[in-house]
Amino acid sequence: MITSRLPRTSTAWAPLLVPLAVLLTWDVGVTIAFKVGLVEFRGIEIQYTLYGTAIALFLGFMVNASYARWWEARTLWGSVVNHSRNLARQTTTLLDTTGPGARPEIVDQMVRAQIAYVQALRTSLREQPLPPEVDVYLDETAVTTVRAATNAPTAVLSHAGRLLAEAYRRGMVSDIARVQVESTLSVLTDAQGGLERIKKTPLPVQYRFLPSFFARAFCVVLPFAVYQDLQWWTPVGSGLVGMMFLLAVQVGRDLADPFLDRVHDVPMTAICRSIEIDLLEMIGAETPEAVAPVDEVLW
Amino acid sequence: MITSRLPRTSTAWAPLLVPLAVLLTWDVGVTIAFKVGLVEFRGIEIQYTLYGTAIALFLGFMVNASYARWWEARTLWGSVVNHSRNLARQTTTLLDTTGPGARPEIVDQMVRAQIAYVQALRTSLREQPLPPEVDVYLDETAVTTVRAATNAPTAVLSHAGRLLAEAYRRGMVSDIARVQVESTLSVLTDAQGGLERIKKTPLPVQYRFLPSFFARAFCVVLPFAVYQDLQWWTPVGSGLVGMMFLLAVQVGRDLADPFLDRVHDVPMTAICRSIEIDLLEMIGAETPEAVAPVDEVLW
Amino acid sequence: MITSRLPRTSTAWAPLLVPLAVLLTWDVGVTIAFKVGLVEFRGIEIQYTLYGTAIALFLGFMVNASYARWWEARTLWGSVVNHSRNLARQTTTLLDTTGPGARPEIVDQMVRAQIAYVQALRTSLREQPLPPEVDVYLDETAVTTVRAATNAPTAVLSHAGRLLAEAYRRGMVSDIARVQVESTLSVLTDAQGGLERIKKTPLPVQYRFLPSFFARAFCVVLPFAVYQDLQWWTPVGSGLVGMMFLLAVQVGRDLADPFLDRVHDVPMTAICRSIEIDLLEMIGAETPEAVAPVDEVLW
Amino acid sequence: MITSRLPRTSTAWAPLLVPLAVLLTWDVGVTIAFKVGLVEFRGIEIQYTLYGTAIALFLGFMVNASYARWWEARTLWGSVVNHSRNLARQTTTLLDTTGPGARPEIVDQMVRAQIAYVQALRTSLREQPLPPEVDVYLDETAVTTVRAATNAPTAVLSHAGRLLAEAYRRGMVSDIARVQVESTLSVLTDAQGGLERIKKTPLPVQYRFLPSFFARAFCVVLPFAVYQDLQWWTPVGSGLVGMMFLLAVQVGRDLADPFLDRVHDVPMTAICRSIEIDLLEMIGAETPEAVAPVDEVLW
Amino acid sequence: MITSRLPRTSTAWAPLLVPLAVLLTWDVGVTIAFKVGLVEFRGIEIQYTLYGTAIALFLGFMVNASYARWWEARTLWGSVVNHSRNLARQTTTLLDTTGPGARPEIVDQMVRAQIAYVQALRTSLREQPLPPEVDVYLDETAVTTVRAATNAPTAVLSHAGRLLAEAYRRGMVSDIARVQVESTLSVLTDAQGGLERIKKTPLPVQYRFLPSFFARAFCVVLPFAVYQDLQWWTPVGSGLVGMMFLLAVQVGRDLADPFLDRVHDVPMTAICRSIEIDLLEMIGAETPEAVAPVDEVLW
């Protein structure tokens, strides 16, 4: 996530360089071709407003859908944050560590497992190898199970479920309080499933392909249409409008897939760290530093 | 679901071939008719922007509604995924297999019934015969009941409810934990009902019929309107705009009914297999391969 | 609900006949009046795009709101379907019919009461007399109470609540399972309230009146505006655009009130029958036939 | 809420009279000024479509937000209806009036308190004094507390909470059933809070001020722009478009604040009465008449 | 939040002064440059409608997203209000202060902690130091813990969770009632997380940067385009449209970040005070005054 007012990192501009350069070259080229008489053509005058309407329709579909995906992804991560805190608060207040059969470490282990969970979820969404936090916050046998699982975050949650079942067997938690904690695990599963849905289901191919195709086709046609009016100003007038449509397409692309380890990502590293700090504080453990933006990008 | 950046399978293009060919033929034909003097007509000049606005209105209604249906269908399947996992985690951690009256196989049977459930739901939505998984994952008497039922997935859930009731009678699960598992069955019923709602309630007939009718009428009229301006370029100018409107209609159609066993379907086969793998892993059973895209289409 | 690809029943077209006939007559009349010199008028040329924009705004408001109402109505009926199934599954699996004080018929009575409930809800929304199903599925005293009540569906749910209370008194259901079933009744009450809200609160009068008024005013003005350009083609050009706006108004009207016993209704008869079949099957009773479309309309 | 097809009460038209009269006078005045040569001005020709687009943008923001507020207000009142019914059904079926310590009047008192609650909520939203129903349906000490409270509806709910606590102390309700009833009180608090949110948070000042300002500015400019084309028809052409924009602003205003005791209000008096009837019927008490529309307005 | 019909405080207009002054100067300057012959240029005639469409697209994305953020923020604060009341009602009615081990002060302490919670949440969102209310409403040890915590509001909720655990240990609350109160804490955590999400995740950089950039570019180009038509009226015509686009951008900015301690903020001070009054009244304590608008701005 870019935190500065203007996108200053080169990575934010990189995907735009080639299209914009091609666009400008084309616009200038067409203008010169007209001037030197290579092309002769009566302007299309009004028809481009019709093209514009149709393209605006497609762009509207695509950008709105992309923004909704991005914001849903952010909201689902927010749900992970909230219910990680809920799980930690519930674990620390609903579990009774003083009974005869109690194993008090279970409280810490469940809170730490939740940290491992969010970190594993982060790397799973970014298609990266499991993070070191999994080894730090889980005990050895759990690490083995989680590393062997197809879906690592689900395996961590199952591990948490087993810890909860142990707490119940040891009489540390009442029947109904156990179900309450279990409900929180269900909500986390739900949020995780939502994130995986956004990850695994890209925008429909029509939304990915058509707006971009039509915006480009429009950029090709536009200088012919406006030359009559604008003469030497054609590259400016035609280029500005073309740029707006190409940028709108790019906005849609940047937002549609928020887990690709790019500058426009949901800042999962920062969110996970912030959960880590909150949860460690709740069990009185030492906390790491918050994640700071690097070159005005928060990862 | 098409996974490639461009739709490359011929099936994706097939429904477009005839309309686009007709469109082009018409545009070329009208142009020639003008040129040879068969038609004489002063262009409609500006009025087509008005048509364009009105058609954009209809297309906006339709495509937005279709996309919302497609995404709701995908989200409901996501809910099926999440609560299948929840059911499996709850079954394995909330049921106590060590008591005197316990029948430990119930845990496995419930998890396997859930796999049969999602597979039966998939074929029911695609109007296909019940899948072999039903025979694999359910015991014989259950298979008989399910095969006889009008609504197979509901029958599988009822079977799961009966297994849960048995577990309760055998003292394997506390009253409140039973209600918690039962709640998960209710959420699954709710998601299934949502999917059946989308399946059984097509877009209103007005949304199916009018945008397509007006877009085609517009394509018929357009070359007359732009010939004055574009002369020999009429087929290009008129064809491009016509194509955009026809494609928008097609996008709406492809997305509106996401369970028709077409390339634009929600990839239910892959989703169900992925649930199968997750759940079998949770009970320590052997897992099948994930479903891979065929010709860049994930089914 | 019309199930065919094109609306073929005459009832679907009936409300359009008069307006479209008037529209055509007017357009032809104006054209002739121009031609014979009764009217002389310089075309409004561009201004009608402005009218078009403003009317599109109003139509957008109205049709979007109407579609949202229609889809919400359908979704709420979906919720009635889902929670009727939930109620039946919960009743059959959570109630214990083997205890000493048990009255096993209660299970059947509750499931049958739920069928009476949905049928009563259907006729209540369509402002019809109570259906015969109420007499079939409820016992006599319950029928008397329900027939005397102002709000029949609510009275049926109260009856179900009383059956549940009896089951609790007889020790057939645990405290917590009773609350779970009671929750399902609450969700049904919520869905019913939502349906009654849509029924009793029409679109705001402004949405009902203004789009229609402006669309008609536009149709009156349009032939004067386009005559200059289109000459003898005026009825075609002006009529086509006018028809689009009038049709959009009609689409809004058809969808805004989905319980008026018209061809565009939510198909409540079919939905209720399908609930009836599902629920009877769950208690092993004989099931009626599903409702089939009549003249391609599903009621 | 206006129930007729056309708004016929003078109050619905009153806020429009002055602006429309001013608009017409201005349009006629400008036309005459042109004709007598007081003004000379080349028409702005196309630019007004640009103004139109920009104003449509602002109007779209405002009317959509207003409609969403109105519908949310109606939906929240629907939630009050549903959960009042739920509360009454739960109170009558979950509370046991036969035990040794039971005080059977508590059931009636809770149901009647709920009627007092909705009536107090209605007058609180309309900034009116507490209604007589509070005195009718609450006992004297409760009335004193409620009349002294800053937020009367909240005080009634607290009173209901205390009745419930008494019922629990007297052994009339099990622990879990009590929590279920308490949940219903929470949902009612949630709906009430939502209604107060809409009441206390008007549309952002920008949405209230800017669309109206720009629509009026546009009306001032428009006759100058269209005179060239329309000549003596200017007041008609310019007035019609101006009226559409002014009406759209008015629609937004009418819907944005649905609790101002105006004809466009959510019909709270009727809704509350309907709750009163339903609830009294459930405890077998005598019911008042339903509220009928007065001059085709339902209050 | 501005409560007057027109924004009258200078702070509301301040961010507009410079852009509008620059805009006017530019428009007048260009007009003069044309008149004195410094510039010669054939107007772009129709093309600006195309620019207008494209910019309206971007502005629509941005303003809609901003309004949704603002309203979601307000709704989440509404949820904090509602569940603060729920917590207080539950605490006062579900906790039993008469048992042998009871410490009756716990009820008051929990309600007062909730007041401290909302006040701490307010200052945390506005990035201000912890408010004096924290010291007033929490006991000393709690204050120390909260002041040391990274996330103060979360620490207050954990404190409330510990008070609840104590009440449970002392037998003041049943198992299931405890879980009910705990659920309310979870909902509060969820609302808080939502508010922090809006706070920490600004609009995507593209939404912040591009609409503003294109609106300004359009303002630069516009006088050249309309001079041909408007001559000396150019500053009026061009300025009015330019102002509309710049104002739309400003509306988006004002609404996008509702916790910046500006006049367009969600009125958190007033909301928190109103919670304070409600809750103190519920435990019979003395209440402070409500917050009144200052210069027609409610903070």
Side-chain angles (χ1 to χ4, degrees):
Chain A
M1 191 182 69
I2 297 174
T3 56
S4 51
R5 238 191 97 245
L6 300 188
R8 256 184 288 250
T9 46
S10 56
T11 33
W13 295 102
L16 288 167
L17 279 186
V18 174
L20 290 187
V22 169
L23 173 68
L24 198 69
T25 314
W26 174 254
D27 285 347
V28 171
V30 170
T31 310
I32 292 171
F34 266 114
K35 281 290 169 199
V36 302
L38 275 179
V39 189
E40 239 171 298
F41 192 71
R42 253 193 87 231
I44 316 177
E45 295 207 341
I46 311 164
Q47 207 187 352
Y48 47 76
T49 69
L50 189 60
Y51 282 86
T53 302
I55 289 174
L57 197 72
F58 273 96
L59 287 174
F61 295 152
M62 183 221 192
V63 176
N64 281 328
S66 298
Y67 180 79
R69 286 168 64 90
W70 175 82
W71 190 237
E72 191 187 357
R74 183 60 191 83
T75 303
L76 287 168
W77 264 107
S79 179
V80 172
V81 172
N82 305 344
H83 293 287
S84 296
R85 286 178 187 166
N86 279 336
L87 191 77
R89 198 192 53 253
Q90 289 170 350
T91 311
T92 49
T93 63
L94 296 183
L95 266 65
D96 175 14
T97 54
T98 61
R103 189 166 69 77
E105 307 89 78
I106 286 184
V107 172
D108 269 35
Q109 283 174 356
M110 281 194 69
V111 173
R112 296 167 70 92
Q114 183 57 22
I115 300 176
Y117 170 70
V118 296
Q119 298 285 7
L121 181 55
R122 166 176 66 86
T123 53
S124 146
L125 289 172
R126 283 196 175 138
E127 297 176 28
Q128 296 166 338
L130 273 181
E133 282 89 349
V134 164
D135 302 293
V136 173
Y137 290 109
L138 293 179
D139 60 63
E140 255 176 71
T141 50
V143 168
T144 317
T145 324
V146 168
R147 290 208 170 272
T150 313
N151 188 322
T154 303
V156 181
L157 272 200
S158 288
H159 173 63
R162 280 190 299 268
L163 285 173
L164 183 62
E166 188 193 333
Y168 178 66
R169 276 197 313 275
R170 290 173 176 279
M172 295 171 67
V173 60
S174 74
D175 200 14
I176 199 159
R178 172 176 67 144
V179 165
Q180 176 81 347
V181 180
E182 163 61 37
S183 294
T184 305
L185 295 181
S186 291
V187 178
L188 285 166
T189 300
D190 218 14
Q192 173 191 339
L195 291 165
E196 290 174 359
R197 163 170 50 84
I198 293 174
K199 172 76 188 178
K200 286 190 191 155
T201 313
L203 272 184
V205 72
Q206 302 95 328
Y207 277 50
R208 279 175 283 154
F209 172 60
L210 294 178
S212 156
F213 173 74
F214 285 126
R216 289 173 185 197
F218 186 57
C219 288
V220 168
V221 170
L222 198 56
F224 295 98
V226 301
Y227 175 76
Q228 200 103 322
D229 278 350
L230 297 183
Q231 303 287 330
W232 277 113
W233 287 95
T234 297
V236 174
S238 165
L240 197 60
V241 172
M243 198 171 102
M244 289 172 76
F245 285 127
L246 291 183
L247 275 171
V249 171
Q250 191 59 38
V251 169
R253 283 198 185 153
D254 286 342
L255 294 176
D257 297 298
F259 307 129
L260 289 184
D261 210 11
R262 295 176 315 184
V263 292
H264 300 291
D265 256 29
V266 167
M268 291 190 280
T269 310
I271 291 174
C272 288
R273 182 66 59 81
S274 133
I275 297 176
E276 201 174 337
I277 296 173
D278 274 18
L279 264 54
L280 289 176
E281 210 164 66
M282 280 166 101
I283 55 169
E286 214 164 312
T287 60
E289 286 288 294
V291 171
V294 180
D295 289 340
E296 301 182 316
V297 176
L298 194 67
W299 293 93
Chain B
M1 192 182 67
I2 297 173
T3 56
S4 51
R5 237 190 99 246
L6 299 188
R8 254 184 289 249
T9 47
S10 56
T11 35
W13 294 103
L16 288 167
L17 279 187
V18 174
L20 290 187
V22 170
L23 173 68
L24 199 69
T25 314
W26 175 254
D27 285 345
V28 170
V30 170
T31 309
I32 291 172
F34 266 114
K35 280 290 169 200
V36 303
L38 275 178
V39 190
E40 237 170 298
F41 191 71
R42 252 192 86 229
I44 317 177
E45 295 207 341
I46 312 165
Q47 207 187 351
Y48 48 75
T49 69
L50 188 61
Y51 282 86
T53 303
I55 289 174
L57 197 72
F58 273 97
L59 287 174
F61 294 151
M62 183 220 191
V63 177
N64 282 327
S66 298
Y67 180 79
R69 285 169 66 90
W70 175 81
W71 191 236
E72 190 187 357
R74 183 61 191 83
T75 304
L76 287 168
W77 264 107
S79 178
V80 172
V81 172
N82 305 343
H83 293 287
S84 296
R85 287 178 187 165
N86 279 336
L87 192 76
R89 198 191 54 251
Q90 290 171 351
T91 311
T92 49
T93 63
L94 296 183
L95 265 65
D96 175 13
T97 54
T98 61
R103 188 166 71 77
E105 308 88 77
I106 287 184
V107 171
D108 269 36
Q109 283 174 357
M110 281 194 70
V111 172
R112 294 167 71 92
Q114 182 57 21
I115 298 176
Y117 171 71
V118 297
Q119 298 285 7
L121 181 55
R122 165 175 68 84
T123 54
S124 147
L125 289 171
R126 283 195 176 140
E127 298 175 27
Q128 295 168 338
L130 274 181
E133 282 88 350
V134 164
D135 302 293
V136 173
Y137 290 110
L138 292 179
D139 59 64
E140 255 175 72
T141 51
V143 167
T144 317
T145 325
V146 168
R147 289 208 170 272
T150 314
N151 188 321
T154 303
V156 181
L157 272 200
S158 287
H159 172 64
R162 279 189 298 270
L163 286 173
L164 182 61
E166 187 193 335
Y168 178 66
R169 275 197 313 276
R170 291 173 175 279
M172 295 170 67
V173 60
S174 74
D175 201 15
I176 199 158
R178 172 177 66 144
V179 165
Q180 176 80 348
V181 180
E182 162 62 37
S183 294
T184 305
L185 295 182
S186 292
V187 178
L188 284 166
T189 300
D190 218 15
Q192 173 190 337
L195 291 164
E196 289 174 0
R197 164 169 50 83
I198 293 174
K199 172 76 189 179
K200 286 190 192 156
T201 312
L203 271 184
V205 72
Q206 301 95 328
Y207 278 50
R208 279 175 282 153
F209 172 60
L210 294 178
S212 156
F213 174 73
F214 286 126
R216 288 174 183 195
F218 187 57
C219 288
V220 169
V221 170
L222 198 57
F224 295 98
V226 302
Y227 174 76
Q228 199 103 322
D229 278 350
L230 298 182
Q231 303 287 331
W232 277 114
W233 287 96
T234 297
V236 175
S238 166
L240 198 60
V241 172
M243 197 172 102
M244 288 171 77
F245 285 127
L246 291 183
L247 275 171
V249 171
Q250 191 59 39
V251 169
R253 283 199 184 151
D254 287 342
L255 295 176
D257 296 298
F259 307 129
L260 290 183
D261 210 11
R262 296 176 315 186
V263 292
H264 299 291
D265 257 27
V266 166
M268 291 189 281
T269 310
I271 292 174
C272 288
R273 181 66 59 80
S274 134
I275 297 176
E276 201 173 336
I277 296 172
D278 275 18
L279 264 55
L280 288 176
E281 209 163 67
M282 281 166 100
I283 56 169
E286 213 164 313
T287 61
E289 286 288 294
V291 171
V294 180
D295 288 340
E296 300 181 318
V297 176
L298 195 66
W299 293 92
Chain C
M1 191 182 69
I2 297 173
T3 56
S4 51
R5 237 192 98 245
L6 298 189
R8 254 183 289 248
T9 48
S10 56
T11 35
W13 294 102
L16 287 167
L17 280 187
V18 175
L20 290 186
V22 170
L23 173 68
L24 199 70
T25 314
W26 174 254
D27 285 347
V28 170
V30 170
T31 311
I32 291 171
F34 266 114
K35 281 289 171 200
V36 303
L38 275 178
V39 191
E40 236 170 299
F41 190 72
R42 251 193 87 229
I44 317 178
E45 296 207 342
I46 312 164
Q47 206 186 352
Y48 49 73
T49 68
L50 189 59
Y51 282 85
T53 303
I55 289 173
L57 197 71
F58 273 96
L59 287 174
F61 295 152
M62 183 219 192
V63 177
N64 282 327
S66 297
Y67 179 79
R69 284 169 66 89
W70 175 82
W71 192 236
E72 190 187 357
R74 182 63 191 83
T75 304
L76 287 168
W77 263 107
S79 179
V80 172
V81 173
N82 306 343
H83 293 287
S84 296
R85 286 179 187 164
N86 280 335
L87 191 77
R89 197 191 54 252
Q90 290 170 351
T91 311
T92 49
T93 62
L94 296 183
L95 265 65
D96 175 14
T97 54
T98 60
R103 188 165 71 78
E105 309 88 77
I106 286 183
V107 171
D108 269 35
Q109 284 174 357
M110 280 194 70
V111 172
R112 294 167 71 93
Q114 181 59 21
I115 298 175
Y117 170 72
V118 297
Q119 298 285 7
L121 181 55
R122 165 175 68 83
T123 53
S124 147
L125 288 172
R126 282 194 176 143
E127 298 176 26
Q128 297 167 338
L130 274 181
E133 282 89 349
V134 163
D135 301 293
V136 173
Y137 291 111
L138 292 180
D139 60 63
E140 255 176 72
T141 51
V143 167
T144 318
T145 325
V146 168
R147 288 208 170 272
T150 313
N151 189 321
T154 304
V156 182
L157 272 201
S158 288
H159 173 64
R162 279 190 299 270
L163 285 174
L164 183 61
E166 187 193 334
Y168 179 66
R169 274 198 313 275
R170 291 173 177 279
M172 295 170 67
V173 60
S174 74
D175 201 15
I176 200 157
R178 173 176 65 144
V179 165
Q180 176 80 348
V181 180
E182 163 61 35
S183 295
T184 305
L185 295 181
S186 292
V187 178
L188 284 166
T189 301
D190 218 15
Q192 174 191 337
L195 290 165
E196 290 175 0
R197 164 168 51 83
I198 291 173
K199 172 76 187 176
K200 286 191 193 155
T201 311
L203 272 185
V205 71
Q206 301 94 328
Y207 277 49
R208 279 175 282 153
F209 172 61
L210 294 178
S212 157
F213 173 74
F214 285 126
R216 289 174 183 195
F218 187 57
C219 288
V220 169
V221 170
L222 199 57
F224 295 98
V226 302
Y227 175 76
Q228 200 103 322
D229 278 352
L230 299 182
Q231 303 287 329
W232 277 115
W233 287 95
T234 298
V236 175
S238 166
L240 197 61
V241 172
M243 198 172 102
M244 289 172 77
F245 284 127
L246 291 182
L247 275 171
V249 170
Q250 190 59 39
V251 169
R253 284 199 184 151
D254 287 342
L255 294 176
D257 296 297
F259 307 129
L260 290 184
D261 209 11
R262 295 177 315 186
V263 292
H264 299 292
D265 257 28
V266 166
M268 291 189 281
T269 310
I271 292 174
C272 288
R273 182 67 59 82
S274 133
I275 297 176
E276 202 173 336
I277 296 171
D278 274 18
L279 265 54
L280 289 176
E281 209 162 67
M282 281 166 101
I283 56 169
E286 213 164 313
T287 59
E289 287 289 295
V291 172
V294 179
D295 288 339
E296 299 182 318
V297 175
L298 195 65
W299 294 92
Chain D
M1 190 182 71
I2 297 173
T3 56
S4 51
R5 238 192 97 245
L6 298 189
R8 255 184 289 250
T9 48
S10 55
T11 34
W13 294 102
L16 287 167
L17 281 186
V18 174
L20 290 186
V22 169
L23 174 68
L24 199 69
T25 314
W26 175 254
D27 285 347
V28 170
V30 169
T31 310
I32 292 173
F34 266 115
K35 280 290 172 198
V36 304
L38 274 178
V39 190
E40 238 171 297
F41 191 72
R42 254 193 85 230
I44 317 178
E45 297 207 340
I46 311 164
Q47 206 186 353
Y48 49 73
T49 68
L50 189 59
Y51 282 85
T53 303
I55 289 174
L57 196 71
F58 273 96
L59 286 174
F61 295 152
M62 184 220 190
V63 177
N64 282 327
S66 297
Y67 179 80
R69 285 169 65 89
W70 175 82
W71 192 236
E72 191 188 357
R74 182 62 192 83
T75 303
L76 287 168
W77 263 107
S79 179
V80 172
V81 172
N82 306 343
H83 293 288
S84 296
R85 287 178 186 164
N86 280 334
L87 191 76
R89 198 192 54 252
Q90 289 170 351
T91 311
T92 49
T93 63
L94 296 183
L95 265 64
D96 175 14
T97 53
T98 60
R103 188 165 71 77
E105 309 89 78
I106 286 184
V107 171
D108 269 35
Q109 283 174 358
M110 280 194 71
V111 172
R112 295 168 70 92
Q114 182 58 21
I115 299 175
Y117 170 71
V118 296
Q119 298 285 7
L121 182 55
R122 165 176 67 84
T123 53
S124 146
L125 289 172
R126 282 194 177 144
E127 298 177 26
Q128 296 168 338
L130 274 181
E133 282 89 350
V134 164
D135 301 294
V136 173
Y137 290 110
L138 293 180
D139 61 63
E140 255 175 72
T141 50
V143 168
T144 316
T145 325
V146 167
R147 289 208 171 272
T150 312
N151 189 320
T154 303
V156 182
L157 273 200
S158 288
H159 173 64
R162 279 190 298 269
L163 285 173
L164 183 62
E166 189 194 332
Y168 179 65
R169 275 198 313 275
R170 290 174 177 278
M172 295 170 66
V173 59
S174 75
D175 202 14
I176 200 158
R178 174 175 64 144
V179 164
Q180 176 81 347
V181 181
E182 164 60 38
S183 295
T184 306
L185 296 182
S186 293
V187 177
L188 285 166
T189 300
D190 218 15
Q192 173 191 337
L195 291 166
E196 290 175 359
R197 163 168 52 82
I198 291 173
K199 172 77 188 176
K200 286 190 192 157
T201 312
L203 273 184
V205 71
Q206 301 94 328
Y207 277 50
R208 279 175 282 154
F209 172 61
L210 293 177
S212 158
F213 174 74
F214 285 127
R216 289 173 183 197
F218 188 57
C219 288
V220 169
V221 169
L222 198 57
F224 295 97
V226 301
Y227 175 76
Q228 200 102 321
D229 278 352
L230 298 182
Q231 303 287 330
W232 277 114
W233 288 95
T234 298
V236 174
S238 166
L240 198 60
V241 172
M243 198 172 101
M244 290 172 77
F245 284 128
L246 291 183
L247 276 171
V249 170
Q250 190 59 39
V251 169
R253 283 199 185 153
D254 287 342
L255 294 177
D257 296 297
F259 307 130
L260 289 185
D261 209 12
R262 295 177 316 186
V263 293
H264 299 293
D265 256 28
V266 166
M268 291 189 280
T269 310
I271 292 173
C272 287
R273 181 67 59 81
S274 133
I275 297 176
E276 202 174 335
I277 296 171
D278 274 19
L279 264 54
L280 288 176
E281 210 163 67
M282 281 165 101
I283 55 169
E286 214 165 310
T287 59
E289 287 288 294
V291 172
V294 180
D295 288 340
E296 300 182 318
V297 175
L298 194 67
W299 293 93
Chain E
M1 190 182 71
I2 296 175
T3 56
S4 51
R5 239 192 97 244
L6 300 188
R8 257 184 287 250
T9 47
S10 55
T11 32
W13 295 103
L16 288 167
L17 280 186
V18 173
L20 290 187
V22 169
L23 172 68
L24 198 70
T25 313
W26 175 254
D27 284 347
V28 171
V30 170
T31 310
I32 292 173
F34 266 115
K35 280 290 169 199
V36 303
L38 275 178
V39 191
E40 239 171 295
F41 191 72
R42 253 193 87 232
I44 316 177
E45 296 207 340
I46 311 164
Q47 206 187 352
Y48 48 75
T49 69
L50 188 61
Y51 281 86
T53 302
I55 289 174
L57 196 72
F58 273 96
L59 286 174
F61 295 152
M62 185 222 190
V63 176
N64 282 328
S66 297
Y67 179 79
R69 286 168 65 89
W70 175 83
W71 190 237
E72 191 188 357
R74 182 62 191 82
T75 302
L76 288 168
W77 263 107
S79 178
V80 171
V81 172
N82 306 343
H83 293 288
S84 296
R85 288 178 186 167
N86 279 336
L87 191 76
R89 199 191 52 253
Q90 289 170 350
T91 311
T92 49
T93 63
L94 296 183
L95 265 65
D96 175 14
T97 54
T98 60
R103 189 165 70 78
E105 308 89 78
I106 286 184
V107 171
D108 269 35
Q109 283 174 357
M110 280 194 71
V111 173
R112 295 167 71 91
Q114 183 57 21
I115 300 176
Y117 170 71
V118 296
Q119 297 286 6
L121 181 55
R122 166 176 66 86
T123 53
S124 146
L125 289 171
R126 283 194 176 142
E127 298 176 27
Q128 296 167 337
L130 274 181
E133 281 89 350
V134 164
D135 302 294
V136 174
Y137 291 109
L138 293 179
D139 60 63
E140 254 175 73
T141 49
V143 168
T144 316
T145 325
V146 168
R147 289 207 171 272
T150 313
N151 189 321
T154 304
V156 182
L157 273 199
S158 287
H159 174 63
R162 280 189 298 269
L163 285 174
L164 183 62
E166 189 193 332
Y168 179 65
R169 276 196 313 274
R170 290 173 177 279
M172 295 170 66
V173 59
S174 75
D175 202 14
I176 199 159
R178 173 175 68 144
V179 164
Q180 176 81 347
V181 181
E182 163 60 37
S183 294
T184 307
L185 295 181
S186 292
V187 178
L188 285 166
T189 301
D190 218 14
Q192 173 191 338
L195 292 165
E196 291 174 359
R197 162 169 52 82
I198 292 174
K199 171 77 189 177
K200 286 190 192 157
T201 313
L203 274 183
V205 71
Q206 302 95 328
Y207 277 49
R208 279 174 282 154
F209 172 61
L210 294 177
S212 157
F213 174 74
F214 285 127
R216 288 173 185 197
F218 187 57
C219 288
V220 169
V221 169
L222 198 56
F224 294 99
V226 301
Y227 175 75
Q228 201 102 321
D229 278 351
L230 297 183
Q231 303 287 331
W232 278 113
W233 288 96
T234 298
V236 174
S238 166
L240 197 61
V241 172
M243 198 172 101
M244 288 172 78
F245 285 127
L246 292 183
L247 275 171
V249 170
Q250 190 61 35
V251 169
R253 283 197 185 154
D254 286 342
L255 294 176
D257 296 298
F259 307 129
L260 289 184
D261 210 11
R262 294 176 316 183
V263 292
H264 299 292
D265 256 29
V266 166
M268 291 190 280
T269 310
I271 292 174
C272 287
R273 182 67 59 81
S274 133
I275 297 176
E276 201 174 336
I277 296 172
D278 274 18
L279 264 55
L280 288 176
E281 210 163 67
M282 281 166 101
I283 55 169
E286 214 165 312
T287 59
E289 286 288 294
V291 172
V294 180
D295 289 340
E296 301 182 317
V297 175
L298 195 66
W299 293 93

